[in-house]
Amino acid sequence: MEQYEPDRLTPPRAAAVRRSLRTGRAALTRRSLLRASAGGALAAGGLGALSACGIPAAGRTRGGATEQDHSAREKVVNFSNWTEYIDVDDKGKRHPTLDVFRRRTGITVRYSEDINDNNEFFGKIKPQLAAGQDTGRDLIVLTDWLAARLIRLGWVQKLDPSHLPHAYTNLSPQFRNPDWDPGRAYSYPWQGISTVIAYNKKALDGVEVTSVSDLLDNPRLKGRVGFLSEMRDSIGMTMLDMGKDPGKFTDDDFDAAVARLQKAVDKGQIRRFTGNDYTSDLTKGDFAACIAWAGDVVQLKADSPDVDFVVPDSGYMTSTDNLCVPSRARHKTNAERLIDFYYEPEQAAALAAYINYVTPVDGVKPYLAEIDEDAARNPLIVPDKAMQAKSHAFRSLSQQEETAYEGKFAKLTGA
């Protein structure tokens, strides 16, 4: 089991934590607030058994300690999530999908929006986890890098596949085998986060943008280009443009991507590196084009006819927020049933229609179309096979790599 070491936020990581929101939807900052500090970071249905279905053994890491499961006697599950990251009724008081789950199973979900920052939340639950105690939570949502850390530390329980028939069957192929949890033995995605190129058609004034090279090299865009202050997204998109795989890169590959961006900084091509505040620059036209997060673009397109996006032929970056059961949780089976519930396409559709993130559930499109046809057609919410094939994840980093890479990126961005 990996030994826990306290986080020390480097200046670039601390700078990346300072983000603002245009819409107040905290989900929109997750990828910048927290991934940047990585390493430092309604239909009825049954739950059938899969023991004889040939599900492969998943994962190579060891699971966290289990508590006696009280699920059968205590019909409850304590679920901690980010704010504004679940469906809400018109009055803003109830969560319709959770109500469906309770009526069907008799299990009450005690839902808490008490995650605002990965590092902050980790600090909140670390003392109990380190002491082998129950955190009071049965299900938590963690960004991929923090989920990976808790798995390495042995603070997340291995999931029982017999309780997850829908999840196993309906999980989108692009999310099935992250290097930090092969086969999804310890986690399932809550939502995906995609990084693409967004642009303001009016500000482009006829300039065509289809690639990261266009952003970095077209002199007509000088001083009107934005990149993200999240290392994984800006470096990852640049690597892809250079023909490198962000899931398998070397130190030399990383340095080459930094040098490529540094050249654009030195000649004034890049206006600045931003967090979520790029949304204002883009809608005003201060940015003609920029690296952007798909969840933002969906909202911006709805508000402004000038905003649109493109997925480069070289590919795009993706990450996930993930459902995990912490060590010593009292209601593991109930938590697994809730995970599986959200992998039913009907429930996934209801969730996607409200929050507009990338759904990790295959088969959701026809159900989403019944709620919102535009959302069902939007590849930023329901990626088609061609878009899924372009998806790339940034590989896991060691603590030493994290420190070195963040330092180089900080020098680049001036953080």
Side-chain angles (χ1 to χ4, degrees), residues 184-262:
R184 292 288 181 179
Y186 299 92
S187 68
Y188 269 89
W190 176 246
Q191 297 291 289
I193 303 167
S194 298
T195 305
V196 296
I197 295 175
Y199 57 85
N200 184 309
K201 288 178 279 190
K202 185 176 180 180
L204 282 179
D205 193 25
V207 176
E208 184 179 25
V209 171
T210 61
S211 69
V212 171
S213 287
D214 291 332
L215 300 183
L216 296 176
D217 299 331
N218 192 323
R220 292 180 61 187
L221 298 179
K222 183 176 180 178
R224 299 190 297 136
V225 168
F227 272 72
L228 292 168
S229 53
E230 161 51 33
M231 178 190 73
R232 286 163 176 77
D233 291 313
S234 287
I235 293 294
M237 292 291 282
T238 304
M239 283 183 181
L240 288 171
D241 189 72
M242 299 172 70
K244 299 296 182 180
D245 184 353
K248 300 177 181 178
F249 69 87
T250 64
D251 286 347
D252 288 342
D253 295 332
F254 185 91
D255 290 343
V258 170
R260 178 98 165 88
L261 290 170
Q262 186 66 60

Side-chain angles (χ1 to χ4, degrees), residues 259-276:
R260 178 98 165 88
L261 290 170
Q262 186 66 60
K263 182 179 178 181
V265 169
D266 293 343
K267 67 181 182 181
Q269 185 77 6
I270 296 176
R271 184 183 184 95
R272 65 191 185 105
F273 291 82
T274 72
N276 271 89

Side-chain angles (χ1 to χ4, degrees), residues 30 42 65 80 93 118 123 133 155 296 336 358 402:
R30 239 177 324 280
L42 268 94
S80 286
K93 295 182 178 181
N118 275 304
Q133 299 172 352
W155 292 350
D296 295 340
E336 290 167 336
V358 179
E402 184 72 33

Side-chain angles (χ1 to χ4, degrees), residues 148 152 179-180 247 394-398 401:
R152 290 195 306 270
D179 63 358
W180 49 271
F394 206 87
R395 71 168 173 82
S396 298
L397 301 179
S398 68
E401 287 176 324

